[in-house]
Amino acid sequence: MAKNPVVKVAREILRTPSTLEFPEQKESTTDNYRGIEKLDMKTCISCSSCALICPNSTITMVDTETERGTKKMPEINLERCLFCGLCEEVCPTGCLTLTKNSDLERCDRREFIKRPEELD
Ligand code: SF4
Ligand code: SF4
């Protein structure tokens, strides 16, 4: 550690900041990162397995308009999600997956609730 305050200040000025210029810069994710869920509405069979296994009551099955009429599909409250991946594991058709999307910044907490159409 430099004792001379001038050297100390000069080092601080030249130091690369450890913070990112948000939102232009995003944090990089690892290969096994689990982020925001994605739903393929065409292959969801409305079995509710994802909602039943979710350990934090994050998923609610809601009425959703599809080409084949109204079906129950998962709505996810990202504010409650633990990103544990159990819903993805249990999904029999593989239509619900966790992506590497880490964009969880919201100004209004109501925006954390994602209807099936918004996960598509
Ligand atoms: S990742 Fe885990 S906490 Fe999040 S919705 Fe799926 S089961 Fe629930
Ligand atoms: S997302 Fe998968 S587990 Fe959830 S209701 Fe649809 S088919 Fe079932």
Side-chain angles (χ1 to χ4, degrees):
M1 197 62 133
K3 286 188 180 165
N4 185 332
V6 177
V7 174
K8 201 173 170 187
V9 169
R11 275 191 186 161
E12 285 302 311
I13 290 170
L14 296 172
R15 193 168 57 89
T16 308
S18 51
T19 50
L20 298 173
E21 289 294 327
F22 183 83
E24 290 78 22
Q25 291 181 318
K26 301 273 180 182
E27 202 173 357
S28 60
T29 53
T30 56
D31 286 346
N32 59 355
Y33 182 85
R34 292 190 293 243
I36 298 174
E37 292 81 354
K38 179 177 169 57
L39 174 71
D40 179 1
M41 288 175 55
K42 290 194 181 77
T43 50
C44 176
I45 57 172
S46 308
C47 67
S48 301
S49 300
C50 52
L52 291 170
I53 202 157
C54 180
N56 208 28
S57 305
T58 305
I59 300 177
T60 309
M61 298 300 287
V62 295
D63 286 339
T64 310
E65 295 304 320
T66 72
E67 289 168 1
R68 297 182 181 176
T70 306
K71 288 171 69 177
K72 292 275 188 195
M73 289 202 191
E75 173 186 89
I76 298 183
N77 183 350
L78 295 173
E79 200 175 27
R80 295 184 62 87
C81 184
L82 307 170
F83 302 101
C84 63
L86 286 175
C87 52
E88 179 183 71
E89 268 183 49
V90 79
C91 180
T93 65
C95 66
L96 187 60
T97 51
L98 272 69
T99 68
K100 296 204 183 303
N101 184 354
S102 61
D103 185 8
L104 285 164
E105 296 81 21
R106 304 285 185 275
C107 293
D108 184 338
R109 60 189 306 184
R110 286 171 295 189
E111 292 174 18
F112 281 108
I113 298 172
K114 291 287 172 195
R115 280 202 42 95
E117 302 89 343
E118 297 173 292
L119 295 164
D120 202 12

